[in-house]
Structure formats: C-alpha cells, structure tokens
Amino acid sequence: MTVFPPTMRVEFPRNLREMFPLGTRFKATVKVCQKTVDGEPNGPPYLKAYDISVIAASVPDEGLMAKVRKGSISGLSYEYHWVTKR
C-alpha cells in the first residue's frame, strides 16, 4: 500500500461530494496525474479517483452537507448545511 501526504489534492466527482455528508468514506482506485503545458509539467502532482464506491457504514444519518455556493464562478466554492432526520 502506498501512502500519500494528507495535503495532496484529489480530483473527485462533485456529485458524490454533494450527495454524501462530510465524513463519509469512499474506496477508490487512484492514479497519480500532473497537468502539463506544452509538454512540460505544470503544477504539483495530484490524484485522480475512479472506480469509486461508498463505505456504507461511514454514512451518518445526519451531518454536514456540501452544496455549491450560489453565484460561484468556478463551481468550486461550497456552503455547508446541517441535514437532520425529520
């Protein structure tokens, strides 16, 4: 098993980030990637996740959910809301 630093960025599907509360755990295959410009490395390496599955036992009944912030130009700005059972 390879260990990556906790600060390493991961490209992960937005719909899964929005569908499950914070703290949900996922199992995925990852590939080490790096952006390039004119064939030269540009920016730090990152992980790209695919073949993703949810670890069901980690999904709480209620919790903090991420939603894209209204008016976000990049779509990468989030608001967090507590979701509770009714």
Side-chain angles (χ1 to χ4, degrees), residues 10-41:
V10 179
E11 186 175 298
F12 196 84
R14 179 184 301 165
N15 64 332
L16 289 176
R17 292 192 314 257
E18 293 174 350
M19 192 181 310
F20 294 96
L22 291 179
T24 300
R25 297 183 66 162
F26 298 90
K27 183 176 182 177
T29 302
V30 295
K31 179 180 177 181
V32 178
C33 300
Q34 188 169 23
K35 305 283 183 190
T36 60
V37 174
D38 298 326
E40 296 295 320

